[in-house]
Amino acid sequence: MIISIKPWLELAQQPDLTPSMMRVGESFAGLELSSDAEADEFRTSYRSYGPSASINGLEQGKRMEFYHKPIMSAEILSAMAPVRGKQIFDGTLGGGGHSELLLSEGAHVIGCDQDRDALEHAKARLESYGDQFLTVRGNFESIDSLLAQVGVEEVDGILLDLGVSSKQLDNPERGFSFRFDGPLDMRMDDRAEFSARDLVNEWSVDEMTRIFREYGEERHAFRAAKAIEKAREKGAINRTSELVDIVSRVIPKISKKNPATRVFQAIRIAVNRELEVLENALEKSIDHLATGGVLSILTFHSLEDRIVKHFMRRLSTPFLDRPEWPAPRENPEYCLHLPQRRAIVPSKEEVESNPRARSAKLRVAVKL
Ligand SMILES: C[S@@+](CC[C@H](N)C(=O)[O-])C[C@H]1O[C@@H](n2cnc3c(N)ncnc32)[C@H](O)[C@@H]1O
């Protein structure tokens, strides 16, 4: 439910309104919150934005106040123990939700994002933390040079909350979503040269089939790729809605999901080289974690989680053994301790109040 802007603004402007006053079923200025999820979203937003609080991405003037609801906040706080004096690199700043939690506990945060809009938004939102909060624009794949830019060698924590933010997904102009018509873009960094439009118009059927199958786990990958090839013979494919039409004609709708979902996900992963970037970042991150430092990676895709799992297992195994060796040998890469071998998943309550949390998996490792 999207509440119309006028009563919402009247509500938000009530000078003595505090988050605890807002409960489901209570009415302010003629407005009633209809669910726990909406009340929760309002309270979170109110804590960050005060009188400009919003829900459901409601626009105030031209500015979207709601950016991204941080996922598994409690679990991340408990893993990172962000006390005063600690310095944490948040490689996926986004709306600044996780960073704010870390800052409010006293930690210093270096916030990084490759998205210009995210960085500007978070800078403004977290301005009050002064020099406790630094920002750098770039790809966390280059964590080494990003830290060098701010004169830091080692940090006590590295946080990556992978993928795109709600704000990026919900902005038609960014072209990430099959739900809105917009240009076929999908670049998180608008300085990058390669976009979804290039992929869809230039890649071979084989290349598209591979990514639809591997990154999207799309059973009809070949059919979708062939349909794109056929469609582009008539002219370039430029809009998200065109791509939705093309693939929806050949991918059967078997659930509530839009048939284009998996193709869009695969293209986004390929355009932003998300898996390769993650692998590179993990390898480099270890060199910049202080002893006792915590690596926390939040993934939303099985391929991402597999990369993180294998990386953490590889570096947390003290001895290696092979049938041809007379005895186990020390693992030269051994430098991590895993407080928990299994991935941590969000609570049922969190998934209910924020469906975007449903596929989240958090893996944590501590540098030895
Ligand atoms: C899921 S959001 C993060 C939300 C954030 N944790 C919060 O609480 O608001 C992911 C953000 O990371 C950024 N991002 C994704 N991959 C990146 C990369 N390789 N380098 C830098 N930023 C990246 C995206 O642009 C996006 O803003």
Side-chain angles (χ1 to χ4, degrees):
M1 177 180 93
I2 299 208
I3 293 160
S4 72
I5 195 154
K6 193 148 181 301
W8 188 252
L9 284 180
E10 278 171 21
L11 164 71
Q13 280 158 4
Q14 304 239 336
D16 52 353
L17 181 75
T18 63
S20 59
M21 289 165 66
M22 205 61 201
R23 294 195 206 293
V24 175
E26 277 182 8
S27 169
F28 289 86
L31 171 74
E32 229 174 69
L33 293 179
S34 64
S35 66
D36 279 332
E38 282 182 355
D40 186 45
E41 186 163 337
F42 173 78
R43 282 189 287 265
T44 307
S45 182
Y46 190 93
R47 275 197 286 275
S48 301
Y49 301 113
S52 329
S54 66
I55 56 167
N56 291 335
L58 185 71
E59 280 190 38
Q60 181 188 327
K62 290 244 171 286
R63 188 162 169 237
M64 294 264 269
E65 290 297 342
F66 175 71
Y67 206 103
H68 182 92
K69 194 169 187 171
I71 290 175
M72 298 186 71
S73 299
E75 293 83 352
I76 286 175
L77 271 184
S78 141
M80 308 213 70
V83 293
R84 188 176 300 277
K86 277 198 184 178
Q87 189 159 46
I88 295 175
F89 177 81
D90 178 356
T92 49
L93 183 59
H98 285 126
S99 273
E100 179 157 39
L101 289 169
L102 302 169
L103 288 161
S104 64
E105 297 289 317
H108 279 70
V109 173
I110 302 162
C112 151
D113 206 296
Q114 56 182 334
D115 183 311
R116 186 162 34 92
D117 175 66
L119 214 63
E120 277 170 17
H121 170 92
K123 249 189 201 168
R125 173 178 172 184
L126 303 175
E127 204 181 6
S128 60
Y129 286 93
D131 55 15
Q132 201 187 329
F133 177 59
L134 290 177
T135 55
V136 272
R137 183 174 180 199
N139 194 311
F140 60 63
E141 172 183 41
S142 309
I143 181 170
D144 41 0
S145 54
L146 294 168
L147 287 178
Q149 264 180 52
V150 290
V152 171
E153 177 98 13
E154 280 189 338
V155 287
D156 305 295
I158 296 177
L159 169 65
L160 300 179
D161 169 14
L162 300 174
V164 281
S165 67
S166 308
K167 171 80 182 255
Q168 288 165 324
L169 263 181
D170 295 344
N171 180 351
E173 288 310 305
R174 303 298 299 268
F176 283 108
S177 176
F178 53 80
R179 289 180 294 130
F180 314 106
D181 179 40
L184 262 178
D185 189 328
M186 302 200 201
R187 291 167 307 157
M188 291 189 214
D189 186 338
D190 63 6
R191 302 166 298 185
E193 281 176 10
F194 185 70
S195 70
R197 184 180 181 281
D198 300 319
L199 188 156
V200 161
N201 289 292
E202 290 167 19
W203 276 23
S204 68
V205 169
D206 281 355
E207 284 173 308
M208 287 192 284
T209 305
R210 181 184 66 81
I211 62 152
F212 296 164
R213 200 170 275 150
E214 275 181 29
Y215 302 168
E217 295 169 271
E218 174 52 68
R219 283 169 48 205
H220 305 282
F222 178 69
R223 270 204 234 169
K226 279 301 270 182
I228 291 171
E229 186 192 44
K230 191 158 173 238
R232 71 194 186 194
E233 281 166 9
K234 295 186 202 129
I237 305 164
N238 295 319
R239 313 280 303 172
T240 50
S241 56
E242 293 174 68
L243 183 61
V244 172
D245 285 349
I246 294 163
V247 298
S248 301
R249 271 186 246 130
V250 295
I251 299 178
K253 185 170 167 59
I254 46 171
S255 67
K256 271 198 246 159
K257 270 192 179 169
N258 188 306
T261 308
R262 293 167 186 275
V263 164
F264 268 66
Q265 171 180 289
I267 295 175
R268 190 203 84 207
I269 293 175
V271 165
N272 296 288
R273 302 171 29 251
E274 290 177 37
L275 303 180
E276 184 190 334
V277 158
L278 174 61
E279 283 176 350
N280 294 340
L282 290 174
E283 298 295 340
K284 287 183 186 170
S285 64
I286 293 304
D287 295 335
H288 297 282
L289 259 188
T291 302
V294 180
L295 182 63
S296 293
I297 316 281
L298 194 49
T299 64
F300 295 85
H301 189 288
S302 58
L303 291 176
E304 289 172 339
D305 180 56
R306 197 179 310 156
I307 291 172
V308 179
K309 180 171 85 180
H310 287 162
F311 173 80
M312 290 187 173
R313 292 224 170 131
R314 200 183 90 217
L315 272 66
S316 63
T317 308
F319 291 96
L320 303 173
D321 202 0
R322 293 223 188 117
E324 65 271 26
W325 293 349
R329 296 179 187 172
E330 280 186 9
N331 177 4
E333 293 187 308
Y334 176 55
C335 66
L336 291 181
H337 164 69
L338 309 187
Q340 198 167 321
R341 281 185 81 74
R342 284 174 175 270
I344 307 166
V345 293
S347 65
K348 202 166 138 258
E349 293 73 35
E350 176 164 11
V351 174
E352 270 164 20
S353 78
N354 184 7
R356 279 179 180 167
R358 70 183 170 273
S359 48
K361 282 191 174 161
L362 174 66
R363 289 192 186 265
V364 175
V366 180
K367 176 96 178 271
L368 293 169

